[in-house]
Amino acid sequence: MPASRDTQPAVSARGVKKAFGSGSTRVDVLHGIELDAFNGEILLLVGPSGCGKTTLLCLLAGLLDADAGSIDVLGSQLNTLSSAQKTEFRKGNIGFIFQQFNLIPTLTAAENAAVPLLIKGHARQDAVKQAEQMLERVGLGHRTAAMPSTLSGGEQQRVAIARALVSAPRLLICDEPTAALDGDTGLKVMESLRATALDAQRCVIVVTHDNRIFKFGDRIAKMLDGRIVSVESALSREGSGMGGRTE
């Protein structure tokens, strides 16, 4: 965990609950989640399938509403924002990386990476130029004119990283970013992500099943049955496994 991280969390969840359905079909997914994430760190959110990781991620991004509790993201209480306000908040503050690369097949790598800037109203030439610079940072400066169909899986994911970072989001949310990649490619993508995304003014949260990338996290939050059961530093985990000290 970075020694210089802010004392004030960038993301704070308190008593967060979420259920789907009602009556006999109701499924309680999250049970009073308590979690902080800080600027200047990569927080890994891990746990078995069905434990609520992706649901929690969607709540932190304002894509879903909590049934109870509070979520503060970058100083904004998400439960006080309207749907339109949440959309604007995400546009200005949050970047997303998913396991499916979601690239537009008819656009070049640079044009794909420029999409967030175009949505925000930047002139096309300026947006593409900034996207090309970001692609250079993730090691794809030589592939800016390539179409997605000509890129490898790892290259496509790095385009997705560039797309997520080009508008300088303060919170970067990654849902299984290495799941569609082989082991070596996944490690290279995480190396690229850590090198380009980690910033003293940015918080990075990664949901993953992939224990091969645990070493890239500063802290690891383990979920089980809709609860956070431990949060530990990567250093303590290396020394003692997931049963290391809890913060």
Side-chain angles (χ1 to χ4, degrees), residues 13 15 21 39 57 59 63 67 75 82 88 108 111 152 157 187 245:
N39 286 327
L57 206 65
L59 290 170
L63 296 170
D67 296 332
S82 68
E88 287 301 309
T108 67
E111 290 167 339
S152 68
Q157 189 60 294
L187 292 177
R245 70 179 177 85

Side-chain angles (χ1 to χ4, degrees), residues 191-239:
E191 288 168 357
S192 179
L193 177 65
R194 187 168 181 88
T196 56
L198 199 58
D199 184 279
Q201 300 303 314
R202 178 181 295 126
C203 175
V204 182
I205 301 176
V206 180
V207 161
T208 185
H209 284 95
D210 189 352
N211 59 14
R212 298 167 300 184
I213 70 170
F214 283 5
K215 64 182 180 180
F216 293 97
D218 296 295
R219 292 187 303 145
I220 300 173
K222 185 177 181 180
M223 285 190 71
L224 188 64
D225 297 330
R227 295 178 173 84
I228 301 291
V229 295
S230 68
V231 183
E232 59 184 22
S233 71
L235 181 62
S236 71
R237 186 187 184 283
E238 288 177 6

Side-chain angles (χ1 to χ4, degrees), residues 11-35:
V11 176
S12 180
R14 292 289 175 270
V16 172
K17 298 180 180 181
K18 183 64 179 177
F20 295 101
S22 61
S24 62
T25 64
R26 177 186 172 97
V27 177
D28 293 302
V29 179
L30 300 179
H31 307 273
I33 293 289
E34 305 276 337
L35 183 67

Side-chain angles (χ1 to χ4, degrees), residues 89-110:
F89 180 78
R90 285 193 298 271
K91 187 190 301 184
N93 294 284
I94 303 179
F96 296 91
I97 300 172
F98 303 101
Q99 60 176 296
Q100 301 302 325
F101 316 125
N102 297 325
L103 302 183
I104 300 171
T106 56
L107 300 183
T108 67

Side-chain angles (χ1 to χ4, degrees), residues 44-60:
L44 299 184
L45 191 58
V46 308
S49 296
C51 71
K53 301 187 302 298
T54 297
T55 297
L56 177 56
L57 206 65
C58 289
L59 290 170
L60 298 180

